[in-house]
Amino acid sequence: MLDKLKDFSSRFFVTGEPMIYGADVAILLTLAGIIFVLTYLKKWKWLWREWLTTVDHKKIGIMYMLSSLLMLFRGGVDALLMRIQLAFPQWHFLDSNHYNEIFTTHGTIMILFMAMPLMFAFFNIVVPLQIGARDVAYPFLNAVSFWLFFFGAMLFNLSFVIGGSPDAGWLSYPPLSGMQFSPGPGQDFYIWGIQISGIGSLASGINFIMTILKMRAPGMKLMHMPLFTWSVLASCIIIIFAFPVLTVTLALLFIDRFFDGHLFTMTGGGNPMMYINLIWMWGHPEVYIVVLPAFGIFSEIVATFSQKKIFGYKSMVFSMMIISVLSYFTWVHHFFTMGAGANVNVFFAITTMAIGIPTGVKVFNWLFTMFRGRIQMTQPMLWTIAFIPCFVVGGATGVMLSAAPADYQYHNSYFLVAHFHQVLIGGVVFGFFAGLYYWWPKMFGFKLNDRLGKWAFWTWNIGFYVCFMPQYALGFMGMTRRIYTYDFDMGWGPLNVISTVGAFFMGIGFIFQAWQILHGIKYGERDVTGDPWNGRTLEWSIPSPPPHYNFAVIPTVTGQDAWWTIKEERKKKKAKETAVFSPIHMPKNSGIPFIMSVFWFIAGFGLTFHWVWMAIFGLTGVGACLLARSFQYNSDYYIPVDEIRHTEDSVGRVG
Amino acid sequence: MHIGKLIILSIFITIFLAGCDSRYLILNPQGAVAQKEYHLIIFSIFLCAIVVIPVLGLLVYIVLRYRDKPGNKAPYRPDWDDSKRLEFIWWGIPIIIIGILGFATAKTTYDLVDPPKKDVKPLTIEVTSLDWKWLFQYPDQNIATVNYVEIPKDVPVQFVLTSDAPMNSFWVPQLGGQLYTMPGMAMGLWLQADRKGEYFGSGANFTGEGFAHMNFKVKSTSTKEFNQWVKQVKETAPALTKADYNSLAKQGLSLEKSYSTIPKGLFQEIVIKNGGQYYSQHHHMKNEDMKTMNVASDEQTHTQHEHQEGGK
């Protein structure tokens, strides 16, 4: 019995590496610490009532943000470990298997558990406020989305200490990801971690399309919407078409692994090329899913801090819509080298290049928004200005990659690695950082320190170029991605050392940002106006942080830049109109999203280890939660006028 | 801040000046295929620069001129948000550039389908990516090598690629771009060396633990030397038996090896074993150059089926 137990635990827990034991201890200590603090301060009830059961889009947004910053930390540590291993030829820091796990989890975490949730954080925090709504269209579903993402991410991260991490690359091509070559539970952690959070992403896509189409303040026509809201709409349209593809693809991969299917192995008449096509039919649009909202953020920031209307609004909307359609017609450029034939390659090369056109137009429109404006060098604006050259160069290397025969030489090389990091960091990460600095006062009611912010900005930027410019060169030198070591005679050593140094600079930048947040909590300059940047859109018309119901009175919109227009009118009239309050209809909190996601987690864990009893238990729990919800009739309430008046009074907005 | 700019500048200079260095394999093409790809690369860099450089210049100019500081005399027009003429220009110019690049790309793509030289009889080499090594078979010479390959210069070589392991990618940067090696499929890639030399080749698509060690050497010699080498291999190297192949196919690394003969039909067998019969049913193998790939012959397929059933 004891031997059996020993044998089981040696397979169940990841063993062998001192680093892993260190992580085990750290995880246990952190957990114990959290439990102790919550118990000591008697905060359990508070945690449950205010956060775990909330359906408030602002709180859900904040939880998305915190989890994605944690994931950014984990993915970043992965990146630094890889860079240490690659710094010198034939270096022994990580062995091959460990390195393979780390680059796999780095990619998966950064895209699915960092970029996506950070993007959803902005959707949640900003969209209802920008369109003058009191919540999203389906607040309960919104909570379900968040908790599914959260437990999916937890399941994926668990593989680090239990069972072993996936190690077949972030898109897990079969046959490598099949049972024959990846027998452990790592791949199943990958499948179920992504599946569970993917359901949440799909639901969010539907939720925000409905929110934008149905919940806008009276008078706000589609062509009056702020550009960030437009970008969310474009992104969500891609989500609802792309994520089902991902779900089906991973389900098929699981059928191959669990039921010994042959969908993706040639020996049974299946075909691995099918998987590669399917996964990129999701994977390529996914890139645009995360970058379009970043474009939206830049558009808001550029207009605000140039103190000028956005240039070419219609052109901006049009180009985003073109991008969201074109993004479906480029997926084959991820495998020009699969030998699909000249006709196919030419078609997809040209569609890929074509996406550069609307993207380029956006860059010009941002530039000409600044032209004849008055540019304020605030933190959000710094990141926006840094984004432009970074993204333009990254876009140019993208166009270079799209020329199919040239891609035969770049494919799977460090040139490619440098390119996609440049557009993803320069576009998405810089964009989301700009957004964080921009909307931070709105979320929390205080600004972040400028001095620390500048340090973070410069270390990040210098670090970025030092890290990734040498990688373009390494690509030209023939260095392929995903190798854990290389020989002295290739001459790749010096540039790799430089690249590693750059990566550490970015790591230092992240530390500055963490410091900045802690500093802000203690000393941050309070924002009492609700409009610290002299903003143009409706989120700046309400107090920071916004009251539970957002708008005491829903504003009426007459054109673009609604809040700017209202401010101009107020200047002219001088007299303030008195608001008449009426009771506000709000959704009630619910514990079901959290509990249901815990059951999903249990089911996912069971499926990962192929323990059918556990999977059935988890899925039954999920079903029970759905049933319980469908019998819940009392799910909303009204905030009385007195309470609204009281709240508005307390933030200095007398009705 | 200035130090930062200096660092960035010096890195750029290092990279671009170093481009002349022979270690920049892609920028030093040694064969007709790589040459064509190199020309397309340079052309695309040039076209991109037409847009990138003015944009960067414009950014610097605008940010310097329109900063919000007291006494800035530059015009300020907070409501100016539209200009049909300007928008026409920046929708138009990228469309033209993409048109030109698209044309060049299409031309090169179709060019590379054919052998670089049509008046010379090509050499065929059958490549199998294994975990984690490369097997090269010369069907016409009836020899085989592991982890190195020798070719005559100025002769177009058709590499016929497959895999008896997870999908990999066959890449010799100085001779030309890569193509995937996929189980159950055989695909043709034309390469050619224009001069004598030794070139670096690698597996470019991740295949697990030993992936980083899947490098191989490509040596190009004169036709005379090549024939001598073939003769020498035939005389001195051991024969490749089925048993040898099976142990080669097991996961692990390997040194360079040579074999004086190869089992008849080994390559076809590898393709079929991995599902080739299903593939050829659904895809007419259009590439007539794959003369070695007359694998769909009923007899072989049949034997294979029996073999598989026997195995169970």
Side-chain angles (χ1 to χ4, degrees):
Chain A
M1 182 66 198
L2 193 68
D3 282 343
K4 245 185 168 173
L5 202 67
K6 258 190 190 163
D7 180 51
F8 169 76
S9 58
S10 74
R11 275 182 294 116
F12 188 69
F13 295 106
V14 177
T15 51
E17 287 259 353
M19 235 188 306
I20 305 255
Y21 295 129
D24 285 340
V25 173
I27 289 169
L28 287 177
L29 283 180
T30 315
L31 269 181
I34 292 171
I35 291 170
F36 174 77
V37 169
L38 285 172
T39 314
Y40 185 76
L41 298 175
K42 301 204 174 87
K43 287 286 188 187
W44 283 106
K45 244 195 183 146
W46 166 83
L47 184 70
W48 178 256
R49 213 183 296 146
E50 295 290 315
W51 295 95
L52 302 189
T53 61
T54 189
V55 293
D56 180 348
H57 67 96
K58 300 177 287 295
K59 283 184 177 164
I60 289 175
I62 287 169
M63 290 193 289
Y64 265 123
M65 192 196 77
L66 291 177
S67 352
S68 64
L69 289 180
L70 268 180
M71 290 293 103
L72 176 61
F73 174 73
R74 154 122 210 232
V77 172
D78 280 350
L80 292 181
L81 292 176
M82 283 191 280
R83 282 317 318 170
I84 294 172
Q85 167 60 22
L86 288 178
F88 305 104
Q90 292 179 353
W91 188 246
H92 298 286
F93 174 68
L94 302 172
D95 65 18
S96 171
N97 284 323
H98 200 171
Y99 183 87
N100 297 345
E101 291 179 353
I102 287 179
F103 77 66
T104 302
T105 53
H106 168 76
T108 313
I109 284 178
M110 284 304 201
I111 296 284
L112 284 154
F113 302 127
M114 189 284 281
M116 287 294 283
L118 196 49
M119 175 187 89
F120 285 134
F122 289 116
F123 285 19
N124 269 290
I125 291 162
V126 182
V127 169
L129 301 183
Q130 274 199 335
I131 61 173
R134 290 195 167 120
D135 209 318
V136 295
Y138 311 116
F140 176 86
L141 184 67
N142 199 21
V144 172
S145 287
F146 170 74
W147 289 110
L148 283 178
F149 144 70
F150 182 81
F151 282 104
M154 288 302 109
L155 184 63
F156 184 85
N157 277 279
L158 200 60
S159 66
F160 182 54
V161 286
I162 290 178
S165 300
D167 61 355
W170 85 280
L171 284 183
S172 290
Y173 284 3
L176 184 61
S177 62
M179 243 352 183
Q180 189 192 349
F181 296 103
S182 301
Q187 273 312 312
D188 295 306
F189 269 120
Y190 170 90
I191 291 174
W192 290 104
I194 296 177
Q195 283 299 51
I196 291 172
S197 70
I199 303 168
S201 303
L202 179 58
S204 283
I206 295 169
N207 209 339
F208 280 92
I209 289 186
M210 292 321 288
T211 305
I212 292 169
L213 292 182
K214 301 298 284 185
M215 308 280 284
R216 297 194 306 279
M220 185 182 275
K221 295 180 181 148
L222 282 176
M223 289 310 272
H224 293 161
M225 291 198 312
L227 279 172
F228 177 71
T229 302
W230 263 114
S231 73
V232 173
L233 183 62
S235 168
C236 286
I237 290 172
I238 312 182
I239 288 176
I240 61 167
F241 286 103
F243 266 79
V245 180
L246 175 69
T247 304
V248 169
T249 311
L250 292 180
L252 295 179
L253 184 63
F254 187 71
I255 289 172
D256 266 13
R257 290 180 57 85
F258 188 69
F259 298 106
D260 199 18
H262 284 283
L263 295 155
F264 299 133
T265 42
M266 298 280 287
T267 39
N271 197 332
M273 294 197 293
M274 195 90 83
Y275 179 92
I276 298 169
N277 271 289
L278 282 170
I279 199 84
W280 280 115
M281 267 178 219
W282 161 78
H284 192 80
E286 165 66 19
V287 181
Y288 291 93
I289 290 172
V290 290
V291 85
L292 281 171
F295 290 168
I297 292 170
F298 292 127
S299 303
E300 301 293 334
I301 291 172
V302 155
T304 303
F305 297 110
S306 303
Q307 307 181 67
K308 188 164 162 283
K309 266 176 113 168
I310 191 82
F311 192 89
Y313 176 88
K314 278 184 202 157
S315 206
M316 289 296 233
V317 171
F318 189 52
S319 59
M320 278 195 285
M321 288 297 141
I322 294 182
I323 290 173
S324 72
V325 174
L326 268 185
S327 70
Y328 284 102
F329 295 95
T330 64
W331 82 89
V332 172
H333 72 219
H334 295 273
F335 42 88
F336 280 141
T337 55
M338 205 161 75
N343 291 331
V344 174
N345 281 359
V346 167
F347 176 82
F348 282 96
I350 289 172
T351 52
T352 305
M353 291 171 193
I355 267 201
I357 300 167
T359 315
V361 166
K362 298 186 79 68
V363 172
F364 282 110
N365 279 335
W366 288 317
L367 283 176
F368 276 76
T369 303
M370 292 192 264
F371 185 72
R372 295 182 184 161
R374 279 291 175 271
I375 304 168
Q376 297 168 314
M377 287 294 174
T378 55
Q379 291 182 69
M381 194 61 182
L382 276 180
W383 288 95
T384 305
I385 290 173
F387 147 80
I388 291 177
C390 196
F391 198 77
V392 165
V393 173
T397 56
V399 171
M400 287 167 67
L401 275 157
S402 71
D407 178 73
Y408 303 160
Q409 287 284 32
Y410 304 132
H411 185 66
N412 276 347
S413 77
Y414 262 81
F415 187 90
L416 171 77
V417 174
H419 159 73
F420 70 68
H421 280 96
Q422 184 153 20
V423 283
L424 285 173
I425 294 180
V428 179
V429 176
F430 282 16
F432 289 176
F433 283 167
L436 278 181
Y437 288 112
Y438 185 57
W439 281 302
W440 191 274
K442 184 49 61 187
M443 283 186 261
F444 298 105
F446 62 88
K447 282 190 186 180
L448 292 169
N449 182 281
D450 256 343
R451 237 174 96 83
L452 287 171
K454 285 212 168 114
W455 276 99
F457 174 80
W458 285 107
T459 39
W460 258 102
N461 271 274
I462 293 168
F464 172 81
Y465 288 100
V466 175
C467 182
F468 290 105
M469 294 302 116
Q471 294 190 6
Y472 281 116
L474 284 168
F476 282 124
M477 295 170 94
M479 181 165 166
T480 45
R481 70 196 290 207
R482 294 176 172 175
I483 53 171
Y484 77 101
T485 190
Y486 52 89
D487 284 336
F488 283 93
D489 56 0
M490 297 310 296
W492 299 340
L495 287 173
N496 270 305
V497 180
I498 296 174
S499 180
T500 302
V501 171
F504 273 90
F505 264 87
M506 286 192 276
I508 294 169
F510 182 79
I511 292 173
F512 274 118
Q513 288 174 312
W515 181 6
Q516 206 184 0
I517 291 172
L518 295 176
H519 179 275
I521 291 171
K522 193 130 197 237
Y523 309 105
E525 182 196 328
R526 298 282 135 190
D527 168 37
V528 288
T529 59
D531 187 12
W533 313 116
N534 193 13
R536 314 178 72 85
T537 42
L538 285 175
E539 72 268 34
W540 306 109
S541 69
I542 53 176
S544 319
H548 176 49
Y549 46 77
N550 299 347
F551 296 88
V553 177
I554 300 282
T556 305
V557 178
T558 51
Q560 272 173 47
D561 292 343
W563 174 233
W564 189 263
T565 320
I566 294 172
K567 282 194 281 191
E568 294 289 304
E569 274 170 14
R570 279 191 191 162
K571 266 186 221 156
K572 277 181 219 154
K573 281 192 212 153
K574 284 180 185 167
K576 252 189 174 176
E577 59 268 48
T578 39
V580 184
F581 298 133
S582 51
I584 295 174
H585 184 209
M586 294 299 283
K588 269 188 183 167
N589 284 0
S590 169
I592 291 177
F594 180 82
I595 296 167
M596 187 167 89
S597 304
V598 171
F599 278 118
W600 264 114
F601 180 85
I602 295 169
F605 193 82
L607 287 164
T608 296
F609 281 91
H610 298 190
W611 296 339
V612 178
W613 58 270
M614 196 173 180
I616 290 175
F617 171 74
L619 290 173
T620 314
V622 172
C625 286
L626 289 172
L627 213 62
R629 174 63 181 177
S630 59
F631 285 106
Q632 235 177 29
Y633 298 110
N634 183 19
S635 59
D636 52 353
Y637 70 106
Y638 279 89
I639 305 177
V641 171
D642 284 348
E643 199 186 319
I644 304 168
R645 186 163 291 130
H646 181 75
T647 316
E648 292 292 298
D649 263 345
S650 70
V651 288
R653 309 224 165 183
V654 195
Chain B
M1 181 172 147
H2 291 287
I3 296 168
K5 279 181 183 162
L6 266 179
I7 293 173
I8 292 168
L9 193 69
S10 55
I11 288 169
F12 271 111
I13 290 170
T14 326
I15 291 169
F16 288 118
L17 289 187
C20 322
D21 193 318
S22 65
R23 288 177 309 178
Y24 287 78
L25 306 179
I26 293 170
L27 305 177
N28 286 282
Q30 301 293 318
V33 175
Q35 191 79 38
K36 276 185 190 143
E37 288 161 351
Y38 170 74
H39 286 317
L40 185 64
I41 288 170
I42 298 301
F43 186 58
S44 67
I45 292 177
F46 171 75
L47 282 178
C48 287
I50 294 179
V51 177
V52 170
I53 292 170
V55 167
L56 296 184
L58 203 58
L59 174 71
V60 172
Y61 168 77
I62 290 174
V63 169
L64 289 180
R65 183 162 155 88
Y66 294 100
R67 281 194 69 163
D68 188 22
K69 54 185 181 214
N72 188 347
K73 293 207 181 71
Y76 173 46
R77 295 180 54 194
D79 288 322
W80 182 69
D81 69 340
D82 191 29
S83 161
K84 291 282 168 297
R85 189 184 303 160
L86 283 173
E87 294 231 43
F88 187 76
I89 293 173
W90 60 65
W91 278 96
I93 293 175
I95 289 177
I96 294 169
I97 288 180
I98 295 302
I100 298 170
L101 184 60
F103 179 76
T105 300
K107 193 173 167 297
T108 314
T109 310
Y110 288 109
D111 269 5
L112 292 180
V113 174
D114 298 323
K117 260 188 198 169
K118 287 185 182 136
D119 49 348
V120 182
K121 188 176 173 291
L123 171 71
T124 301
I125 299 177
E126 294 164 334
V127 183
T128 311
S129 67
L130 299 166
D131 267 349
W132 291 282
K133 57 195 86 69
W134 292 92
L135 172 68
F136 300 95
Q137 298 181 57
Y138 294 72
D140 297 330
Q141 286 72 21
N142 195 29
I143 59 168
T145 58
V146 171
N147 283 349
Y148 84 101
V149 59
E150 220 171 294
I151 55 172
K153 75 181 175 80
D154 294 323
V155 174
V157 183
Q158 170 145 61
F159 289 94
V160 182
L161 311 173
T162 194
S163 173
D164 196 6
M167 183 178 105
N168 209 313
S169 190
F170 175 83
W171 189 27
V172 188
Q174 285 184 289
L175 299 187
Q178 63 198 282
L179 194 66
Y180 284 167
T181 62
M182 291 187 283
M185 288 172 245
M187 300 195 301
L189 172 71
W190 287 109
L191 295 178
Q192 182 185 303
D194 287 347
R195 34 189 96 79
K196 287 194 199 179
E198 255 189 28
Y199 309 115
F200 169 77
S202 68
N205 197 69
F206 179 63
T207 51
E209 193 182 344
F211 164 69
H213 304 288
M214 284 189 71
N215 302 328
F216 56 91
K217 236 185 336 194
V218 180
K219 194 175 173 194
S220 88
T221 58
S222 68
T223 308
K224 207 178 125 196
E225 285 166 322
F226 174 75
N227 290 333
Q228 273 169 0
W229 170 77
V230 171
K231 210 174 135 212
Q232 191 205 333
V233 167
K234 283 200 155 314
E235 280 163 7
T236 59
L240 176 67
T241 62
K242 281 273 172 71
D244 288 337
Y245 176 74
N246 289 338
S247 63
L248 265 182
K250 286 199 186 106
Q251 291 195 336
L253 305 180
S254 170
L255 298 170
E256 289 182 3
K257 283 179 184 161
S258 316
Y259 298 100
S260 57
T261 59
I262 44 182
K264 200 167 181 310
L266 176 64
F267 186 77
Q268 288 82 342
E269 209 173 279
I270 294 169
V271 174
I272 287 179
K273 181 176 76 173
N274 286 295
Q277 78 273 27
Y278 297 105
Y279 189 70
S280 52
Q281 275 165 18
H282 298 295
H283 300 73
H284 49 106
M285 294 234 168
K286 57 179 183 289
N287 198 340
E288 64 194 48
D289 303 303
M290 285 181 203
K291 53 180 186 291
T292 54
M293 271 307 302
N294 297 322
V295 288
S297 74
D298 290 338
E299 194 188 312
Q300 272 170 326
T301 317
H302 198 64
T303 348
Q304 185 60 29
H305 270 304
E306 278 177 0
H307 180 72
Q308 278 181 343
E309 275 157 21
K312 284 175 192 168

